Amino acid sequence: MDVERYDRTRPAYPPELVALLIAAAPGREILDVGAGTGIEARQFQAAGRHVLGVEPDPRMAGFARRSGIDVEVAKFEDWEPQGRRFDLLVSGQAWHWVDPLAGAAKAAEVLRPGGVFAAFWHVPEPPDEVADALADAYRRLVPDAPIDLKNVPKQSADPYGPLIVKVADCLREAGGFGEPERSRHDWERVYTRDEWLDQLPTFGSLTWVEAAVRREILAEVGAAIDTMGGRFTARYATVAITAVRV
């Protein structure tokens, strides 16, 4: 994983979501689970909150530290809070890596009464011309791929729906939380050809592909973007599940 590319290209989270979570939390102490390179941590820190990250990948943790975030290297399930308690637990694009039941129990342990659990994910949807170019090239050039990008569901299919249901069920089973709530924040971003091609290699479908093949795939996607004038608007939905520690 090229952590610098990941941090440079992956989008931040909607300001209204950040503001809502800050308003809901009873205090200023935030725990960021799966902090990665610190993308969401820096957003909350910029709002005047103190953020502690927990991140299992030492490379990502190192990048986040260099950007000014306190990070401890560990899997959340194994992490030792040492009696520390938090007002808000956030997990951006990461909770699917956490054991949902063990993670829910640990979240209940580290949140103060009234504290808020919040896990959220981006669902990007570029125009069909861009998505189809990637899927067609991927299918042809990576015939043994474990996934078929033509079958990846779009926003209308609620791709994180089953995961969010599972997270909610585990929060209920672990106990200590009020009824989980879902929310969705829709937004858009304009990408140039170079910006989109810079981000694509950070997606899981391409991280393991041989470099020469990846370059061919990117070239075909780039050609499709060129036919659109060299830029396009991507639609995003950021979906979240939250629950209050009782």
Side-chain angles (χ1 to χ4, degrees), residues 77-110:
E77 301 93 319
D78 303 328
W79 174 68
E80 177 49 60
Q82 300 177 335
R84 289 168 290 183
R85 295 293 180 267
F86 300 87
D87 303 293
L88 174 63
L89 183 155
V90 298
S91 184
Q93 214 73 28
W95 194 256
H96 53 279
W97 298 114
V98 177
D99 178 276
L101 186 55
K106 177 66 75 71
E109 175 188 348
V110 302

PDB file of all heavy atoms in Angstrom, residues 77-110:
ATOM      1  N   GLU A  77      -9.445  -4.832  18.618  1.00  0.00           N
ATOM      2  CA  GLU A  77      -9.873  -5.890  19.541  1.00  0.00           C
ATOM      3  C   GLU A  77      -8.795  -6.213  20.585  1.00  0.00           C
ATOM      4  O   GLU A  77      -9.110  -6.642  21.690  1.00  0.00           O
ATOM      5  CB  GLU A  77     -10.230  -7.167  18.775  1.00  0.00           C
ATOM      6  CG  GLU A  77     -11.336  -6.993  17.751  1.00  0.00           C
ATOM      7  CD  GLU A  77     -10.794  -6.683  16.364  1.00  0.00           C
ATOM      8  OE1 GLU A  77      -9.833  -5.879  16.255  1.00  0.00           O
ATOM      9  OE2 GLU A  77     -11.333  -7.236  15.394  1.00  0.00           O
ATOM     10  N   ASP A  78      -7.511  -6.001  20.217  1.00  0.00           N
ATOM     11  CA  ASP A  78      -6.395  -6.326  21.111  1.00  0.00           C
ATOM     12  C   ASP A  78      -5.846  -5.112  21.848  1.00  0.00           C
ATOM     13  O   ASP A  78      -5.002  -5.250  22.738  1.00  0.00           O
ATOM     14  CB  ASP A  78      -5.249  -6.969  20.299  1.00  0.00           C
ATOM     15  CG  ASP A  78      -5.696  -8.207  19.550  1.00  0.00           C
ATOM     16  OD1 ASP A  78      -6.591  -8.915  20.041  1.00  0.00           O
ATOM     17  OD2 ASP A  78      -5.150  -8.456  18.450  1.00  0.00           O
ATOM     18  N   TRP A  79      -6.282  -3.949  21.466  1.00  0.00           N
ATOM     19  CA  TRP A  79      -5.746  -2.702  22.021  1.00  0.00           C
ATOM     20  C   TRP A  79      -6.089  -2.574  23.499  1.00  0.00           C
ATOM     21  O   TRP A  79      -7.195  -2.902  23.936  1.00  0.00           O
ATOM     22  CB  TRP A  79      -6.308  -1.532  21.231  1.00  0.00           C
ATOM     23  CG  TRP A  79      -5.975  -0.171  21.746  1.00  0.00           C
ATOM     24  CD1 TRP A  79      -4.753   0.424  21.771  1.00  0.00           C
ATOM     25  CD2 TRP A  79      -6.888   0.775  22.300  1.00  0.00           C
ATOM     26  NE1 TRP A  79      -4.849   1.695  22.306  1.00  0.00           N
ATOM     27  CE2 TRP A  79      -6.154   1.926  22.638  1.00  0.00           C
ATOM     28  CE3 TRP A  79      -8.267   0.741  22.534  1.00  0.00           C
ATOM     29  CZ2 TRP A  79      -6.747   3.045  23.205  1.00  0.00           C
ATOM     30  CZ3 TRP A  79      -8.864   1.853  23.096  1.00  0.00           C
ATOM     31  CH2 TRP A  79      -8.114   2.986  23.427  1.00  0.00           C
ATOM     32  N   GLU A  80      -5.146  -2.061  24.283  1.00  0.00           N
ATOM     33  CA  GLU A  80      -5.343  -1.881  25.719  1.00  0.00           C
ATOM     34  C   GLU A  80      -5.622  -0.403  26.028  1.00  0.00           C
ATOM     35  O   GLU A  80      -4.729   0.437  25.900  1.00  0.00           O
ATOM     36  CB  GLU A  80      -4.096  -2.342  26.485  1.00  0.00           C
ATOM     37  CG  GLU A  80      -4.184  -2.121  27.984  1.00  0.00           C
ATOM     38  CD  GLU A  80      -5.482  -2.634  28.592  1.00  0.00           C
ATOM     39  OE1 GLU A  80      -5.742  -3.856  28.487  1.00  0.00           O
ATOM     40  OE2 GLU A  80      -6.250  -1.802  29.150  1.00  0.00           O
ATOM     41  N   PRO A  81      -6.866  -0.064  26.407  1.00  0.00           N
ATOM     42  CA  PRO A  81      -7.192   1.348  26.662  1.00  0.00           C
ATOM     43  C   PRO A  81      -6.594   1.900  27.946  1.00  0.00           C
ATOM     44  O   PRO A  81      -6.569   3.122  28.137  1.00  0.00           O
ATOM     45  CB  PRO A  81      -8.725   1.342  26.725  1.00  0.00           C
ATOM     46  CG  PRO A  81      -9.094  -0.055  27.108  1.00  0.00           C
ATOM     47  CD  PRO A  81      -8.052  -0.942  26.494  1.00  0.00           C
ATOM     48  N   GLN A  82      -6.130   1.033  28.853  1.00  0.00           N
ATOM     49  CA  GLN A  82      -5.492   1.477  30.088  1.00  0.00           C
ATOM     50  C   GLN A  82      -6.360   2.452  30.880  1.00  0.00           C
ATOM     51  O   GLN A  82      -5.885   3.453  31.408  1.00  0.00           O
ATOM     52  CB  GLN A  82      -4.118   2.105  29.781  1.00  0.00           C
ATOM     53  CG  GLN A  82      -3.162   1.137  29.098  1.00  0.00           C
ATOM     54  CD  GLN A  82      -1.835   1.782  28.741  1.00  0.00           C
ATOM     55  OE1 GLN A  82      -1.749   3.001  28.560  1.00  0.00           O
ATOM     56  NE2 GLN A  82      -0.807   0.972  28.615  1.00  0.00           N
ATOM     57  N   GLY A  83      -7.636   2.130  30.934  1.00  0.00           N
ATOM     58  CA  GLY A  83      -8.553   2.935  31.721  1.00  0.00           C
ATOM     59  C   GLY A  83      -9.033   4.210  31.068  1.00  0.00           C
ATOM     60  O   GLY A  83      -9.851   4.938  31.653  1.00  0.00           O
ATOM     61  N   ARG A  84      -8.561   4.503  29.859  1.00  0.00           N
ATOM     62  CA  ARG A  84      -8.978   5.737  29.196  1.00  0.00           C
ATOM     63  C   ARG A  84     -10.407   5.606  28.669  1.00  0.00           C
ATOM     64  O   ARG A  84     -10.832   4.543  28.239  1.00  0.00           O
ATOM     65  CB  ARG A  84      -8.021   6.057  28.045  1.00  0.00           C
ATOM     66  CG  ARG A  84      -6.649   6.505  28.503  1.00  0.00           C
ATOM     67  CD  ARG A  84      -5.642   6.536  27.369  1.00  0.00           C
ATOM     68  NE  ARG A  84      -5.307   5.194  26.910  1.00  0.00           N
ATOM     69  CZ  ARG A  84      -4.394   4.938  25.965  1.00  0.00           C
ATOM     70  NH1 ARG A  84      -3.754   5.961  25.376  1.00  0.00           N
ATOM     71  NH2 ARG A  84      -4.129   3.699  25.607  1.00  0.00           N
ATOM     72  N   ARG A  85     -11.135   6.723  28.709  1.00  0.00           N
ATOM     73  CA  ARG A  85     -12.511   6.748  28.228  1.00  0.00           C
ATOM     74  C   ARG A  85     -12.673   7.897  27.229  1.00  0.00           C
ATOM     75  O   ARG A  85     -11.982   8.918  27.319  1.00  0.00           O
ATOM     76  CB  ARG A  85     -13.503   6.916  29.390  1.00  0.00           C
ATOM     77  CG  ARG A  85     -13.513   5.742  30.365  1.00  0.00           C
ATOM     78  CD  ARG A  85     -14.060   4.481  29.699  1.00  0.00           C
ATOM     79  NE  ARG A  85     -14.085   3.349  30.618  1.00  0.00           N
ATOM     80  CZ  ARG A  85     -13.106   2.474  30.738  1.00  0.00           C
ATOM     81  NH1 ARG A  85     -11.990   2.613  30.028  1.00  0.00           N
ATOM     82  NH2 ARG A  85     -13.203   1.458  31.583  1.00  0.00           N
ATOM     83  N   PHE A  86     -13.633   7.727  26.324  1.00  0.00           N
ATOM     84  CA  PHE A  86     -13.785   8.674  25.224  1.00  0.00           C
ATOM     85  C   PHE A  86     -15.243   9.090  25.078  1.00  0.00           C
ATOM     86  O   PHE A  86     -16.160   8.392  25.512  1.00  0.00           O
ATOM     87  CB  PHE A  86     -13.271   8.043  23.922  1.00  0.00           C
ATOM     88  CG  PHE A  86     -11.825   7.657  23.998  1.00  0.00           C
ATOM     89  CD1 PHE A  86     -11.451   6.415  24.501  1.00  0.00           C
ATOM     90  CD2 PHE A  86     -10.840   8.540  23.603  1.00  0.00           C
ATOM     91  CE1 PHE A  86     -10.115   6.057  24.591  1.00  0.00           C
ATOM     92  CE2 PHE A  86      -9.492   8.190  23.696  1.00  0.00           C
ATOM     93  CZ  PHE A  86      -9.128   6.942  24.190  1.00  0.00           C
ATOM     94  N   ASP A  87     -15.418  10.265  24.432  1.00  0.00           N
ATOM     95  CA  ASP A  87     -16.757  10.816  24.215  1.00  0.00           C
ATOM     96  C   ASP A  87     -17.330  10.428  22.854  1.00  0.00           C
ATOM     97  O   ASP A  87     -18.548  10.474  22.655  1.00  0.00           O
ATOM     98  CB  ASP A  87     -16.710  12.346  24.325  1.00  0.00           C
ATOM     99  CG  ASP A  87     -16.157  12.795  25.666  1.00  0.00           C
ATOM    100  OD1 ASP A  87     -16.828  12.554  26.680  1.00  0.00           O
ATOM    101  OD2 ASP A  87     -15.046  13.370  25.680  1.00  0.00           O
ATOM    102  N   LEU A  88     -16.454  10.068  21.937  1.00  0.00           N
ATOM    103  CA  LEU A  88     -16.874   9.716  20.581  1.00  0.00           C
ATOM    104  C   LEU A  88     -15.888   8.711  20.020  1.00  0.00           C
ATOM    105  O   LEU A  88     -14.672   8.913  20.099  1.00  0.00           O
ATOM    106  CB  LEU A  88     -16.904  10.979  19.706  1.00  0.00           C
ATOM    107  CG  LEU A  88     -17.175  10.817  18.207  1.00  0.00           C
ATOM    108  CD1 LEU A  88     -18.562  10.226  17.964  1.00  0.00           C
ATOM    109  CD2 LEU A  88     -17.054  12.174  17.493  1.00  0.00           C
ATOM    110  N   LEU A  89     -16.419   7.610  19.501  1.00  0.00           N
ATOM    111  CA  LEU A  89     -15.606   6.630  18.787  1.00  0.00           C
ATOM    112  C   LEU A  89     -16.014   6.693  17.329  1.00  0.00           C
ATOM    113  O   LEU A  89     -17.186   6.504  17.000  1.00  0.00           O
ATOM    114  CB  LEU A  89     -15.818   5.224  19.349  1.00  0.00           C
ATOM    115  CG  LEU A  89     -14.982   4.087  18.741  1.00  0.00           C
ATOM    116  CD1 LEU A  89     -14.832   2.944  19.739  1.00  0.00           C
ATOM    117  CD2 LEU A  89     -15.570   3.551  17.425  1.00  0.00           C
ATOM    118  N   VAL A  90     -15.057   6.983  16.459  1.00  0.00           N
ATOM    119  CA  VAL A  90     -15.340   7.039  15.022  1.00  0.00           C
ATOM    120  C   VAL A  90     -14.512   5.975  14.311  1.00  0.00           C
ATOM    121  O   VAL A  90     -13.432   5.588  14.771  1.00  0.00           O
ATOM    122  CB  VAL A  90     -15.045   8.434  14.431  1.00  0.00           C
ATOM    123  CG1 VAL A  90     -15.933   9.484  15.063  1.00  0.00           C
ATOM    124  CG2 VAL A  90     -13.575   8.806  14.584  1.00  0.00           C
ATOM    125  N   SER A  91     -15.034   5.516  13.183  1.00  0.00           N
ATOM    126  CA  SER A  91     -14.303   4.560  12.356  1.00  0.00           C
ATOM    127  C   SER A  91     -14.702   4.807  10.915  1.00  0.00           C
ATOM    128  O   SER A  91     -15.804   4.445  10.496  1.00  0.00           O
ATOM    129  CB  SER A  91     -14.629   3.120  12.765  1.00  0.00           C
ATOM    130  OG  SER A  91     -13.854   2.200  12.022  1.00  0.00           O
ATOM    131  N   GLY A  92     -13.811   5.456  10.177  1.00  0.00           N
ATOM    132  CA  GLY A  92     -14.090   5.804   8.790  1.00  0.00           C
ATOM    133  C   GLY A  92     -13.494   4.792   7.830  1.00  0.00           C
ATOM    134  O   GLY A  92     -12.278   4.582   7.836  1.00  0.00           O
ATOM    135  N   GLN A  93     -14.339   4.145   7.072  1.00  0.00           N
ATOM    136  CA  GLN A  93     -13.892   3.196   6.050  1.00  0.00           C
ATOM    137  C   GLN A  93     -13.049   2.079   6.664  1.00  0.00           C
ATOM    138  O   GLN A  93     -12.103   1.584   6.053  1.00  0.00           O
ATOM    139  CB  GLN A  93     -13.065   3.942   4.995  1.00  0.00           C
ATOM    140  CG  GLN A  93     -13.185   3.419   3.569  1.00  0.00           C
ATOM    141  CD  GLN A  93     -14.508   3.762   2.915  1.00  0.00           C
ATOM    142  OE1 GLN A  93     -15.125   4.762   3.262  1.00  0.00           O
ATOM    143  NE2 GLN A  93     -14.953   2.928   1.996  1.00  0.00           N
ATOM    144  N   ALA A  94     -13.382   1.633   7.892  1.00  0.00           N
ATOM    145  CA  ALA A  94     -12.489   0.682   8.569  1.00  0.00           C
ATOM    146  C   ALA A  94     -13.201  -0.352   9.435  1.00  0.00           C
ATOM    147  O   ALA A  94     -12.616  -1.395   9.727  1.00  0.00           O
ATOM    148  CB  ALA A  94     -11.491   1.454   9.438  1.00  0.00           C
ATOM    149  N   TRP A  95     -14.426  -0.085   9.881  1.00  0.00           N
ATOM    150  CA  TRP A  95     -15.035  -0.988  10.877  1.00  0.00           C
ATOM    151  C   TRP A  95     -15.254  -2.389  10.316  1.00  0.00           C
ATOM    152  O   TRP A  95     -15.360  -3.359  11.068  1.00  0.00           O
ATOM    153  CB  TRP A  95     -16.340  -0.391  11.399  1.00  0.00           C
ATOM    154  CG  TRP A  95     -16.843  -1.083  12.640  1.00  0.00           C
ATOM    155  CD1 TRP A  95     -17.864  -1.979  12.731  1.00  0.00           C
ATOM    156  CD2 TRP A  95     -16.336  -0.925  13.977  1.00  0.00           C
ATOM    157  NE1 TRP A  95     -18.034  -2.387  14.032  1.00  0.00           N
ATOM    158  CE2 TRP A  95     -17.103  -1.751  14.811  1.00  0.00           C
ATOM    159  CE3 TRP A  95     -15.319  -0.160  14.539  1.00  0.00           C
ATOM    160  CZ2 TRP A  95     -16.885  -1.846  16.187  1.00  0.00           C
ATOM    161  CZ3 TRP A  95     -15.098  -0.253  15.904  1.00  0.00           C
ATOM    162  CH2 TRP A  95     -15.865  -1.082  16.710  1.00  0.00           C
ATOM    163  N   HIS A  96     -15.321  -2.545   8.997  1.00  0.00           N
ATOM    164  CA  HIS A  96     -15.487  -3.882   8.409  1.00  0.00           C
ATOM    165  C   HIS A  96     -14.264  -4.765   8.636  1.00  0.00           C
ATOM    166  O   HIS A  96     -14.342  -5.982   8.428  1.00  0.00           O
ATOM    167  CB  HIS A  96     -15.789  -3.783   6.901  1.00  0.00           C
ATOM    168  CG  HIS A  96     -14.813  -2.976   6.130  1.00  0.00           C
ATOM    169  ND1 HIS A  96     -14.863  -1.600   6.082  1.00  0.00           N
ATOM    170  CD2 HIS A  96     -13.748  -3.336   5.363  1.00  0.00           C
ATOM    171  CE1 HIS A  96     -13.881  -1.147   5.316  1.00  0.00           C
ATOM    172  NE2 HIS A  96     -13.190  -2.186   4.867  1.00  0.00           N
ATOM    173  N   TRP A  97     -13.140  -4.187   9.066  1.00  0.00           N
ATOM    174  CA  TRP A  97     -11.962  -4.975   9.419  1.00  0.00           C
ATOM    175  C   TRP A  97     -11.982  -5.412  10.876  1.00  0.00           C
ATOM    176  O   TRP A  97     -11.122  -6.188  11.309  1.00  0.00           O
ATOM    177  CB  TRP A  97     -10.688  -4.174   9.154  1.00  0.00           C
ATOM    178  CG  TRP A  97     -10.479  -3.782   7.732  1.00  0.00           C
ATOM    179  CD1 TRP A  97     -10.489  -2.515   7.208  1.00  0.00           C
ATOM    180  CD2 TRP A  97     -10.220  -4.651   6.618  1.00  0.00           C
ATOM    181  NE1 TRP A  97     -10.262  -2.542   5.864  1.00  0.00           N
ATOM    182  CE2 TRP A  97     -10.090  -3.838   5.464  1.00  0.00           C
ATOM    183  CE3 TRP A  97     -10.090  -6.041   6.486  1.00  0.00           C
ATOM    184  CZ2 TRP A  97      -9.830  -4.371   4.205  1.00  0.00           C
ATOM    185  CZ3 TRP A  97      -9.835  -6.565   5.231  1.00  0.00           C
ATOM    186  CH2 TRP A  97      -9.703  -5.737   4.115  1.00  0.00           C
ATOM    187  N   VAL A  98     -12.923  -4.888  11.659  1.00  0.00           N
ATOM    188  CA  VAL A  98     -13.012  -5.191  13.097  1.00  0.00           C
ATOM    189  C   VAL A  98     -14.017  -6.320  13.303  1.00  0.00           C
ATOM    190  O   VAL A  98     -15.064  -6.346  12.668  1.00  0.00           O
ATOM    191  CB  VAL A  98     -13.458  -3.932  13.881  1.00  0.00           C
ATOM    192  CG1 VAL A  98     -13.636  -4.234  15.362  1.00  0.00           C
ATOM    193  CG2 VAL A  98     -12.448  -2.799  13.677  1.00  0.00           C
ATOM    194  N   ASP A  99     -13.684  -7.261  14.206  1.00  0.00           N
ATOM    195  CA  ASP A  99     -14.672  -8.277  14.566  1.00  0.00           C
ATOM    196  C   ASP A  99     -15.893  -7.562  15.135  1.00  0.00           C
ATOM    197  O   ASP A  99     -15.776  -6.834  16.125  1.00  0.00           O
ATOM    198  CB  ASP A  99     -14.101  -9.234  15.618  1.00  0.00           C
ATOM    199  CG  ASP A  99     -15.109 -10.273  16.051  1.00  0.00           C
ATOM    200  OD1 ASP A  99     -15.929  -9.968  16.955  1.00  0.00           O
ATOM    201  OD2 ASP A  99     -15.103 -11.384  15.491  1.00  0.00           O
ATOM    202  N   PRO A 100     -17.072  -7.718  14.520  1.00  0.00           N
ATOM    203  CA  PRO A 100     -18.198  -6.847  14.879  1.00  0.00           C
ATOM    204  C   PRO A 100     -18.682  -6.993  16.317  1.00  0.00           C
ATOM    205  O   PRO A 100     -19.059  -5.995  16.932  1.00  0.00           O
ATOM    206  CB  PRO A 100     -19.287  -7.229  13.872  1.00  0.00           C
ATOM    207  CG  PRO A 100     -18.916  -8.601  13.412  1.00  0.00           C
ATOM    208  CD  PRO A 100     -17.421  -8.663  13.442  1.00  0.00           C
ATOM    209  N   LEU A 101     -18.660  -8.210  16.866  1.00  0.00           N
ATOM    210  CA  LEU A 101     -19.141  -8.389  18.239  1.00  0.00           C
ATOM    211  C   LEU A 101     -18.078  -7.989  19.247  1.00  0.00           C
ATOM    212  O   LEU A 101     -18.356  -7.248  20.200  1.00  0.00           O
ATOM    213  CB  LEU A 101     -19.583  -9.832  18.467  1.00  0.00           C
ATOM    214  CG  LEU A 101     -20.243 -10.105  19.827  1.00  0.00           C
ATOM    215  CD1 LEU A 101     -21.431  -9.166  20.050  1.00  0.00           C
ATOM    216  CD2 LEU A 101     -20.685 -11.567  19.908  1.00  0.00           C
ATOM    217  N   ALA A 102     -16.843  -8.456  19.054  1.00  0.00           N
ATOM    218  CA  ALA A 102     -15.755  -8.057  19.953  1.00  0.00           C
ATOM    219  C   ALA A 102     -15.541  -6.551  19.893  1.00  0.00           C
ATOM    220  O   ALA A 102     -15.283  -5.900  20.922  1.00  0.00           O
ATOM    221  CB  ALA A 102     -14.472  -8.792  19.588  1.00  0.00           C
ATOM    222  N   GLY A 103     -15.659  -5.969  18.687  1.00  0.00           N
ATOM    223  CA  GLY A 103     -15.492  -4.531  18.544  1.00  0.00           C
ATOM    224  C   GLY A 103     -16.579  -3.754  19.261  1.00  0.00           C
ATOM    225  O   GLY A 103     -16.313  -2.725  19.897  1.00  0.00           O
ATOM    226  N   ALA A 104     -17.820  -4.247  19.172  1.00  0.00           N
ATOM    227  CA  ALA A 104     -18.925  -3.572  19.853  1.00  0.00           C
ATOM    228  C   ALA A 104     -18.727  -3.609  21.358  1.00  0.00           C
ATOM    229  O   ALA A 104     -18.976  -2.617  22.064  1.00  0.00           O
ATOM    230  CB  ALA A 104     -20.248  -4.218  19.468  1.00  0.00           C
ATOM    231  N   ALA A 105     -18.277  -4.746  21.871  1.00  0.00           N
ATOM    232  CA  ALA A 105     -18.039  -4.855  23.315  1.00  0.00           C
ATOM    233  C   ALA A 105     -16.919  -3.926  23.756  1.00  0.00           C
ATOM    234  O   ALA A 105     -17.007  -3.273  24.808  1.00  0.00           O
ATOM    235  CB  ALA A 105     -17.711  -6.304  23.675  1.00  0.00           C
ATOM    236  N   LYS A 106     -15.846  -3.840  22.950  1.00  0.00           N
ATOM    237  CA  LYS A 106     -14.740  -2.943  23.295  1.00  0.00           C
ATOM    238  C   LYS A 106     -15.196  -1.482  23.207  1.00  0.00           C
ATOM    239  O   LYS A 106     -14.806  -0.651  24.044  1.00  0.00           O
ATOM    240  CB  LYS A 106     -13.551  -3.203  22.355  1.00  0.00           C
ATOM    241  CG  LYS A 106     -12.338  -2.293  22.550  1.00  0.00           C
ATOM    242  CD  LYS A 106     -11.656  -2.501  23.892  1.00  0.00           C
ATOM    243  CE  LYS A 106     -10.847  -3.762  23.967  1.00  0.00           C
ATOM    244  NZ  LYS A 106      -9.618  -3.785  23.185  1.00  0.00           N
ATOM    245  N   ALA A 107     -16.032  -1.166  22.224  1.00  0.00           N
ATOM    246  CA  ALA A 107     -16.554   0.199  22.108  1.00  0.00           C
ATOM    247  C   ALA A 107     -17.357   0.577  23.350  1.00  0.00           C
ATOM    248  O   ALA A 107     -17.239   1.699  23.868  1.00  0.00           O
ATOM    249  CB  ALA A 107     -17.411   0.329  20.859  1.00  0.00           C
ATOM    250  N   ALA A 108     -18.183  -0.347  23.832  1.00  0.00           N
ATOM    251  CA  ALA A 108     -18.961  -0.071  25.040  1.00  0.00           C
ATOM    252  C   ALA A 108     -18.050   0.142  26.237  1.00  0.00           C
ATOM    253  O   ALA A 108     -18.346   0.951  27.131  1.00  0.00           O
ATOM    254  CB  ALA A 108     -19.932  -1.224  25.302  1.00  0.00           C
ATOM    255  N   GLU A 109     -16.918  -0.548  26.241  1.00  0.00           N
ATOM    256  CA  GLU A 109     -15.963  -0.433  27.348  1.00  0.00           C
ATOM    257  C   GLU A 109     -15.287   0.931  27.380  1.00  0.00           C
ATOM    258  O   GLU A 109     -15.059   1.490  28.463  1.00  0.00           O
ATOM    259  CB  GLU A 109     -14.901  -1.532  27.220  1.00  0.00           C
ATOM    260  CG  GLU A 109     -13.783  -1.448  28.246  1.00  0.00           C
ATOM    261  CD  GLU A 109     -12.656  -2.427  27.953  1.00  0.00           C
ATOM    262  OE1 GLU A 109     -12.834  -3.321  27.093  1.00  0.00           O
ATOM    263  OE2 GLU A 109     -11.584  -2.297  28.580  1.00  0.00           O
ATOM    264  N   VAL A 110     -14.966   1.470  26.220  1.00  0.00           N
ATOM    265  CA  VAL A 110     -14.135   2.677  26.187  1.00  0.00           C
ATOM    266  C   VAL A 110     -14.932   3.972  26.075  1.00  0.00           C
ATOM    267  O   VAL A 110     -14.357   5.057  26.223  1.00  0.00           O
ATOM    268  CB  VAL A 110     -13.102   2.607  25.038  1.00  0.00           C
ATOM    269  CG1 VAL A 110     -12.217   1.391  25.195  1.00  0.00           C
ATOM    270  CG2 VAL A 110     -13.784   2.629  23.681  1.00  0.00           C
TER     271      VAL A 110
END
